């Protein structure tokens, strides 16, 4: 994944478009991710089917055993 600043993006949009042909381009604003540039084909692939499709992809249609051991967290309140 390529990252460019807003300034770099504004100065060379063509370079950002070329980079997006190989994967998402993150555009930062004040050092924080603000936007992502994708090819239209990648955008379509990600949004194809909408929310229902996403839920269907996350739903486990078979009875699958998944081992899960949650991490222990310290719930003690520090004394001052």
């Amino acid at each position: 994944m390529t990252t460019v600043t807003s300034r770099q993006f504004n100065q060379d949009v063509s370079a950002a478009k070329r980079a997006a042909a190989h994967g998402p381009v993150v555009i930062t604003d004040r050092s924080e991710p603000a936007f992502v540039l994708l090819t239209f084909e990648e955008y379509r692939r990600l949004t194809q089917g909408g929310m229902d499709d996403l839920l269907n992809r996350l739903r486990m249609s078979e009875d699958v055993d998944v081992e899960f051991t949650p991490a222990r967290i310290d719930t003690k309140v520090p004394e001052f």
Side-chain angles (χ1 to χ4, degrees):
M1 186 169 354
T2 303
T3 302
V4 298
T5 65
S6 293
R7 178 176 287 196
Q8 290 169 322
F9 177 77
N10 287 331
Q11 290 175 346
D12 198 353
V13 174
S14 294
K17 288 167 48 177
R18 284 191 300 273
H22 302 286
V25 176
V26 176
I27 304 166
T28 61
D29 190 14
R30 294 185 172 90
S31 301
E32 292 294 322
F35 302 95
V36 177
L37 179 65
L38 304 168
T39 62
F40 188 71
E41 292 81 20
E42 183 65 9
Y43 169 77
R44 269 205 146 139
R45 186 186 72 76
L46 292 172
T47 60
Q48 180 180 346
M51 185 58 78
D52 290 336
D53 190 49
L54 175 61
L55 293 175
N56 284 332
R57 284 187 263 165
L58 294 173
R59 184 177 293 125
M60 291 184 182
S61 59
E62 300 175 9
D63 185 19
V64 178
D65 288 330
V66 177
E67 289 189 33
F68 174 70
T69 306
R72 296 185 68 71
I73 58 171
D74 184 9
T75 57
K76 295 179 185 175
V77 176
E79 295 182 28
F80 296 99

